[in-house]
Structures are given as C-alpha cells and as structure tokens.
Amino acid sequence: MANVLILGGGFGGIVAAERLAKALAPEHQITLVSRSSRFVFYPALVRLAFGKCEVEDISYDLREAMLDRRVRFIEGTAARVDPSERTVTLTGGDIVGDIKYDYLVYALGRRLATEQVRGFFEHAHHLLGVGAAQKFGEAVRNFRGGHAVIGSCPGARLEVPVYETAFALARRLEARGDSARITVVSPEYPGERPGGADLASALQPALASHHIEHLKDFPIAEVTGDAVVSRDGREVGYDLLMLVPPFEGASALASTGLTDEEGYVRVDHTMRVLGAQGMYAVGDAVYFSGPKMGHMAVRQAEVAAENLAAEIEGRAPAAHYKHEIALVVDEGGKDTVYLHKNLWEEGGKAIGHGRFWGWAKRGHEKYFKAQHS
Ligand SMILES: Cc1cc2nc3c(=O)[nH]c(=O)nc-3n(C[C@H](O)[C@H](O)[C@H](O)COP(=O)(O)OP(=O)(O)OC[C@H]3O[C@@H](n4cnc5c(N)ncnc54)[C@H](O)[C@@H]3O)c2cc1C
C-alpha cells in the first residue's frame, strides 16, 4: 500500500487528489492537507469585490468533497517538508506533529511577499483572498472620484485581475456618472514578460475606450498613505489603490535545496521534483516562467497524478507538461479578450475578442464547482 500525501487545497491539490483517487486501486491511501477547509475559486474574486457574486457562489467545503472521493482531508498548516525522512511537520489544525508519506504532491501555491514593498501592508489593497477582496470592495464603494491606481509590484506574476479590476471600476464609475482617473501600473514593459506584449496589445482598444492609462516600467518600491513610489524615486498619487504584491514560493521546502532563489520548486516536465525521491510539485509553487495561472495548475496536476500513479504501479512516466497561457480578461462586454499562447514552442498563438469569452469564463467557474464540489 502506498501512502500519498497532497499538500494544498487549491486548483493543483484538488485536481491531483481527484485524479489519483480515480487512477489508484483502493488499497492506496490518499490524504489532502490544507490550511483552509474551503476551496476558493480565485478568478472570481474581482467579481466578489464588485458585488457581482457571493462567497458561497465561488467556494465550497473541501472536507465533504474529498470524503465523497475517498480522500482523507486534514485541515492544517504544512510548516516543513523533510524530503530525506519523507515527513511533513503540521501545525495548527486537525493534527499537530509529523506525518509520514511515501509519495508527496506539493501544491502549496505562492506566498505573498508584501514585506518586499515598504508600506504595502499598511496602505495597499489587494485581491488575493476572500477577506482582502471584500475589504477592497468596501473601498471601491466609498470611492467618489480622484485617482485610482491599479497595478502589479515587481515579482507579481498575475496580470488578469489587474486589468479586470480596472475595467470593473471604469464601468462602475461610468454607470454612476462619476469622473475619475484610472491608471494601470506595470513594473516593466509588456515585452519583458512572457506573453505580456500580446496581452497588452490585445487589451489596448479596451483600455483606450474606458480612458484607462497604462503606466509601464514603474517598479513600485514603496507605498505611502497617498502615493506609490518607484525604485528610481518617481511618485504617483492615489485616492484608491489595489496592487498585486510580489510573489514567492511557499516556505515549507525552504533550506532543502529543492527550490530556486525565489522559493519556487524545480521540477522536470513530468512534474517530478528535481533532486527528491517520490515527490511531485504543481501549480503556482513551481519554477516555470511566466504568469501563475489556475489552468496551468490544473494541467500540471493532471500530469503529476498520471505519472505518480505510473510510478506506484512500476510503470515509466508517460505524461509531459507543455507550458501554455490560456486566459480571459473579462472587460464586462464586447472588448473581453482571450489569449492562448505556447510558452515553450514557437507559434501556437490565438487571440479572440468578444462578449462570448466573458460568458465562457463565468461558465467555466460554474462547471469547475459542479465537477469538484
Ligand atoms: C484575483 C485572482 C484572479 C485570478 N484570475 C485567474 C484567471 O482568470 N485565470 C487563471 O487561470 N488563473 C487566475 N488566477 C490564478 C489562479 O487562481 C492560481 O494560479 C491558482 O489558484 C494556483 O493554484 P495552486 O493550487 O497552485 O495554488 P492555490 O490556489 O494558491 O492553492 C494553494 C493551497 O495551499 C494552501 N496552503 C498554502 N500554504 C499552506 C501551508 N503552509 N499549509 C497548508 N496549506 C497551505 C492554501 O490554503 C490553498 O488551499 C487568479 C488569481 C487571483 C488571486
């Protein structure tokens, strides 16, 4: 019997758990550990902030969902993984202490490294959790005009909610007849990010039609009570601020030598962790280039589960991950953008515009919840 432990109850962890439960014979034990017993569909957090959905619409109870799939669920925080002893130290939850594994899937996502930007914690709103999105939503409701700055800090690996927030805010202000200036701030030029130039040019017409300015090459180093300050000392004042903070890998594998300098786990294209036995990693936690996206986490989890099941059954790994961007930026109407782009191969780029993509994105959210809850 193999004892498989999955860390993280996000897109990567739950898809890995479900795939393994289907692929492995019932004598193998599968356990999922996550800090929270609720799964949250993060791509819907912008809509939550703008009052377009409720928390219950975009989240569900993991303990119940996993029970239905014969996966044991433990609520707890994975403080440390010891790859040589094959143990994980859990704190604060259902179990405190070390638990053993034969095989591990590491899907702890990313850490918000807000400490890298002075004043972020005190002054900036963000959207990377239910509580934070609701707090930002309250600030939006109280915003009566002035300058809204919406952007990314250096090391933030997520552009979609930045643009979606700018569009949602513009539409809200237009509907109320309020006038305000909206600026999207990016830490570098779009061409310096994988897929960034394609996305920026696809979004240009929508930004222009909502009179949203785009300030590029503005790496935020500090946030004060009324301005963001770049590394070279330029300042932009704000009355409303939402920033995606810098990301880093989760800390449970720190000092094992299995991560890069930003804490992301090194894996091969079968999603096996380089330098460790019986360990796979998926999702925002891994060191692949470009944006950190849910659809990547799902595909990586499928690949990891297939190869882990093969390893347990003594077969060679057959599934290989291909790194691609597939995203929708919902503008709320006809200027919604779809982008698909291969990041490891030349060619394979597709761009679409239209209302359809917004419906497709919201439909996908409902489909995901129906399939997995
Ligand atoms: C506002 C917003 C909008 C987005 N929009 C899109 C979009 O439109 N399209 C898209 O593809 N992607 C989008 N994303 C990105 C997408 O949500 C992430 O890429 C995806 O969630 C990554 O999945 P993951 O499983 O790797 O990590 P996560 O979803 O972050 O899951 C990590 C899990 O691990 C748990 N955890 C963390 N640390 C510990 C610990 N120490 N111990 C125990 N448990 C722990 C967490 O509670 C969580 O359950 C968006 C994200 C946000 C925040």
Side-chain angles (χ1 to χ4, degrees), residues 117 152-155 185-189 215-222 228-234 243:
V117 175
S152 303
C153 297
V185 173
S186 305
E188 65 278 278
Y189 290 105
L215 177 59
K216 299 155 195 156
D217 190 30
F218 192 91
I220 295 172
E222 184 179 355
V228 287
V229 186
S230 69
R231 283 178 181 157
D232 56 5
R234 287 170 290 154
L243 295 175

Side-chain angles (χ1 to χ4, degrees), residues 159-184:
E159 286 185 275
V160 174
V162 169
Y163 290 115
E164 288 189 343
T165 299
F167 291 132
L169 185 62
R171 281 185 173 272
R172 188 184 168 89
L173 295 168
E174 287 156 16
R176 284 201 318 217
D178 285 348
S179 75
R181 194 174 144 213
I182 303 177
T183 304
V184 166

Side-chain angles (χ1 to χ4, degrees), residues 67 95 113-114 163 196 224 232-233 239 249 257 261 265 311 327 339 360:
L67 202 61
I95 296 179
T114 51
Y163 290 115
T224 69
D232 56 5
D239 301 291
E261 61 285 355
V265 189
E311 185 177 344
L327 59 79
L339 170 71

Side-chain angles (χ1 to χ4, degrees), residues 7-14 33-36 38-46 62 76-80 90 107-110 127-129 157-158 160-161 164 247 250-252 282-286 291-298 300 326-329 361:
L7 299 182
F11 284 94
I14 59 170
V33 173
S34 195
R35 194 156 45 195
S36 162
R38 280 200 92 70
F39 169 79
V40 176
F41 193 87
Y42 286 138
L45 287 175
V46 176
L62 267 178
T77 297
R80 201 172 78 90
L90 298 184
L108 291 180
R110 45 92 221 85
L127 265 175
L128 286 98
R157 304 271 292 269
L158 190 62
V160 174
E164 288 189 343
F247 289 179
S251 58
V282 301
D284 285 8
V286 306
K292 303 257 174 218
M293 308 230 53
H295 73 89
M296 294 170 177
V298 166
Q300 291 164 9
L327 59 79
V328 171
V329 176
K361 183 167 183 169

Side-chain angles (χ1 to χ4, degrees), residues 41-357:
F41 193 87
Y42 286 138
L45 287 175
V46 176
R47 292 199 303 110
L48 180 74
F50 283 84
K52 303 280 183 207
C53 60
E54 301 295 327
V55 180
E56 299 70 47
D57 303 331
I58 62 163
S59 66
Y60 63 82
D61 185 71
L62 267 178
R63 199 183 289 272
E64 241 171 62
M66 288 298 123
L67 202 61
D68 290 349
R69 292 165 170 85
R70 73 168 190 87
V71 174
R72 182 168 70 128
F73 178 79
I74 296 176
E75 188 172 334
T77 297
R80 201 172 78 90
V81 178
D82 183 335
S84 54
E85 294 296 320
R86 297 204 190 192
T87 56
V88 175
T89 306
L90 298 184
T91 56
D94 296 338
I95 296 179
V96 173
D98 290 354
I99 53 170
K100 289 193 88 55
Y101 64 84
D102 301 315
Y103 299 95
L104 185 78
V105 179
Y106 186 91
L108 291 180
R110 45 92 221 85
R111 193 179 82 75
L112 304 183
T114 51
E115 73 284 354
Q116 287 181 16
V117 175
R118 208 173 329 133
F120 188 105
F121 183 76
E122 293 83 356
H123 305 296
H125 285 284
H126 69 81
L127 265 175
L128 286 98
V130 167
Q134 287 171 326
K135 210 166 143 222
F136 173 59
E138 201 181 311
V140 166
R141 284 191 295 282
N142 294 329
F143 180 61
R144 289 279 172 266
H147 190 195
V149 172
I150 313 291
S152 303
C153 297
R157 304 271 292 269
L158 190 62
E159 286 185 275
V160 174
V162 169
Y163 290 115
E164 288 189 343
T165 299
F167 291 132
L169 185 62
R171 281 185 173 272
R172 188 184 168 89
L173 295 168
E174 287 156 16
R176 284 201 318 217
D178 285 348
S179 75
R181 194 174 144 213
I182 303 177
T183 304
V184 166
V185 173
S186 305
E188 65 278 278
Y189 290 105
E192 296 172 74
R193 293 187 294 277
D198 298 302
L199 185 62
S201 69
L203 286 168
Q204 193 45 47
L207 293 172
S209 78
H210 291 290
H211 309 288
I212 298 169
E213 297 163 26
H214 193 175
L215 177 59
K216 299 155 195 156
D217 190 30
F218 192 91
I220 295 172
E222 184 179 355
V223 181
T224 69
D226 57 8
V228 287
V229 186
S230 69
R231 283 178 181 157
D232 56 5
R234 287 170 290 154
E235 284 193 21
V236 173
Y238 70 82
D239 301 291
L240 176 71
L241 179 67
M242 195 294 284
L243 295 175
V244 177
F247 289 179
E248 272 184 0
S251 58
L253 277 175
S255 7
T256 57
L258 300 177
T259 60
D260 68 8
E261 61 285 355
E262 291 173 291
Y264 297 119
V265 189
R266 295 192 192 87
V267 291
D268 64 18
H269 295 188
T270 69
M271 304 316 298
R272 277 191 71 142
V273 175
L274 296 167
Q277 297 294 313
M279 193 192 295
Y280 293 74
V282 301
D284 285 8
V286 306
Y287 82 148
F288 295 145
S289 63
K292 303 257 174 218
M293 308 230 53
H295 73 89
M296 294 170 177
V298 166
R299 182 62 196 133
Q300 291 164 9
E302 290 167 349
V303 168
E306 190 176 330
N307 290 329
L308 174 49
E311 185 177 344
I312 290 171
E313 289 162 2
R315 292 179 281 115
H320 291 262
Y321 172 69
K322 282 191 196 148
H323 202 34
E324 308 176 326
I325 293 178
L327 59 79
V328 171
V329 176
D330 190 353
E331 176 269 344
K334 65 175 178 42
D335 284 333
T336 292
V337 164
Y338 164 75
L339 170 71
H340 181 270
K341 188 177 167 73
N342 291 334
L343 292 180
W344 286 343
E345 288 165 21
E346 284 300 311
K349 184 172 86 179
I351 292 174
H353 284 92
R355 246 175 248 284
F356 165 79
W357 295 108

